[in-house]
């Protein structure tokens, strides 16, 4: 039976405590990777974080949670330094931090624009910048940037979400051009209509949810596991020949729902 084996690998998931991020954290651990995931550290989310850790440990996975301010670049650097001190390596980086708030451009002030640009783009740069020296020394690394189908159709509800997600393409292109021959592979996964807490809030009305599902050719909403499995695949030996790709995981909605 074919399987994804990440035994002996060390992974960092930035934004890995809920939704797509939690799914990725679980999948990497299930595949055998020791995984550190970050979260905001808010007291109201403590129970959720502890539940995720317990679930993974009960299943036999190795995991550690870290409360990190995603906008604090030094905190990200310190986290990577601590992981390397502990594990002697960092093999996998998944950049999943992001924020989306549906509203028209005229309602976005300068401060809000900068905040959303930072959360959806700059935070990924902080993670990449911290991880690259370690991966370069190892001559091995797998970087997965979590984008959005909004880069193709402008969806997602806000210009300050679609624009920085699109900028991840340039980041990936640079990383591939500069670091591919050093053993570091980078790809982007673009999710769409994944059944996270945000989507459940936005489509809480059963009729609205039904109409949304009707737009998806495969006939269902995506699940965090759909993105998690793809991410784990890209980080495994099965993904060793895949680099510089933007993979759209949307049930066919973006291209075929026209």
């Amino acid at each position: 039976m074919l399987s994804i084996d990440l035994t002996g690998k060390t992974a960092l998931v930035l934004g890995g405590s809920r939704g797509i991020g939690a799914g990725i954290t679980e999948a990497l651990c299930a595949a055998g990777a020791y995984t550190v995931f970050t979260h905001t550290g808010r007291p109201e989310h403590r129970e959720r974080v502890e539940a995720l850790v317990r679930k993974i440990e009960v299943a036999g996975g190795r995991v550690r949670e870290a409360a990190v301010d995603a906008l604090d670049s030094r905190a990200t650097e310190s986290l990577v330094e601590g992981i390397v001190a502990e594990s002697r390596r960092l093999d996998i980086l998944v950049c999943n931090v992001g924020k989306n708030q549906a509203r028209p451009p005229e309602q976005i002030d300068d401060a809000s624009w900068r905040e959303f640009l930072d959360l959806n783009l700059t935070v990924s740069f902080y993670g990449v910048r911290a991880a690259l020296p370690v991966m370069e020394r190892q001559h091995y690394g797998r970087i997965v940037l979590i984008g959005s189908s909004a880069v193709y159709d402008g969806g997602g509800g806000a210009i300050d979400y679609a624009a920085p997600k699109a900028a991840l393409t340039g980041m990936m292109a640079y990383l591939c051009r500069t670091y591919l021959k050093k053993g570091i592979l980078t790809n982007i996964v673009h999710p769409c209509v994944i059944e996270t807490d945000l989507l459940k809030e936005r489509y809480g009305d059963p009729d609205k949810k039904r109409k949304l599902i009707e737009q998806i050719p495969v006939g269902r909403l995506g699940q965090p596991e759909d993105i998690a499995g793809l991410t784990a695949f890209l980080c495994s030996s099965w993904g060793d020949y895949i680099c510089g790709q933007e993979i759209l995981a949307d049930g066919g909605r973006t291209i075929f729902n026209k």
Side-chain angles (χ1 to χ4, degrees):
M1 179 181 294
L2 297 178
S3 64
I4 295 175
D5 185 4
L6 296 174
T7 303
K9 305 296 185 185
T10 297
L12 170 59
V13 181
L14 298 177
S17 69
R18 65 174 179 168
I20 291 173
I24 292 171
T25 298
E26 285 190 60
L28 295 178
C29 289
Y34 168 54
T35 305
V36 178
F37 70 91
T38 69
H39 57 92
T40 61
R42 294 173 185 164
E44 62 267 30
H45 298 159
R46 188 70 233 164
E47 184 176 343
R48 183 185 68 210
V49 171
E50 292 177 352
L52 176 60
V53 171
R54 285 196 303 271
K55 181 180 180 182
I56 291 172
E57 290 180 340
V58 167
R62 298 174 59 233
V63 67
R64 177 164 71 86
E65 51 96 356
V68 173
D69 179 354
L71 296 175
D72 184 342
S73 63
R74 181 54 195 155
T76 300
E77 291 171 3
S78 296
L79 176 61
V80 170
E81 290 168 0
I83 293 171
V84 174
E86 177 186 11
S87 297
R88 306 300 180 199
R89 59 187 305 109
L90 177 60
D91 305 285
I92 296 165
L93 171 68
V94 180
C95 299
N96 180 61
V97 174
K99 185 177 182 180
N100 186 18
Q101 181 181 339
R103 66 226 194 278
E106 58 268 25
Q107 294 181 10
I108 301 173
D109 59 26
D110 293 353
S112 182
W113 168 262
R114 287 190 292 270
E115 176 194 3
F116 279 71
L117 184 66
D118 282 344
L119 285 169
N120 291 304
L121 176 63
T122 307
V123 168
S124 293
F125 167 68
Y126 290 160
V128 166
R129 183 176 62 182
L132 278 175
V134 183
M135 293 179 171
E136 193 170 5
R137 287 197 301 270
Q138 298 168 170
H139 204 75
Y140 181 93
R142 298 292 180 268
I143 299 173
V144 178
L145 308 174
I146 304 301
S148 169
S149 64
V151 307
Y152 298 109
D153 61 14
I159 192 172
D160 54 0
Y161 180 74
K165 288 296 188 180
L168 293 175
T169 300
M171 183 181 295
M172 177 185 68
Y174 174 85
L175 291 172
C176 292
R177 182 181 182 88
T178 308
Y179 294 96
L180 176 55
K181 292 184 178 180
K182 299 178 181 181
I184 303 171
L185 279 59
T186 304
N187 293 284
I188 298 176
V189 174
H190 291 303
C192 180
V193 288
I194 306 300
E195 197 168 17
T196 61
D197 291 342
L198 178 62
L199 186 138
K200 290 175 183 177
E201 291 173 9
R202 189 173 294 179
Y203 294 92
D205 178 80
D207 190 52
K208 288 179 65 176
K209 183 177 179 180
R210 177 185 58 78
K211 290 179 179 178
L212 177 64
I213 294 174
E214 287 175 353
Q215 300 174 15
I216 307 169
V218 301
R220 68 171 176 87
L221 294 173
Q223 298 300 314
E225 293 79 11
D226 293 315
I227 307 304
L230 175 56
T231 301
F233 173 87
L234 291 171
C235 295
S236 75
S237 59
W238 296 109
D240 284 352
Y241 204 59
I242 303 173
C243 186
Q245 300 304 305
E246 300 184 58
I247 303 175
L248 184 59
D250 71 340
R253 179 175 184 252
T254 303
I255 296 176
F256 298 108
N257 181 44
K258 295 182 179 180

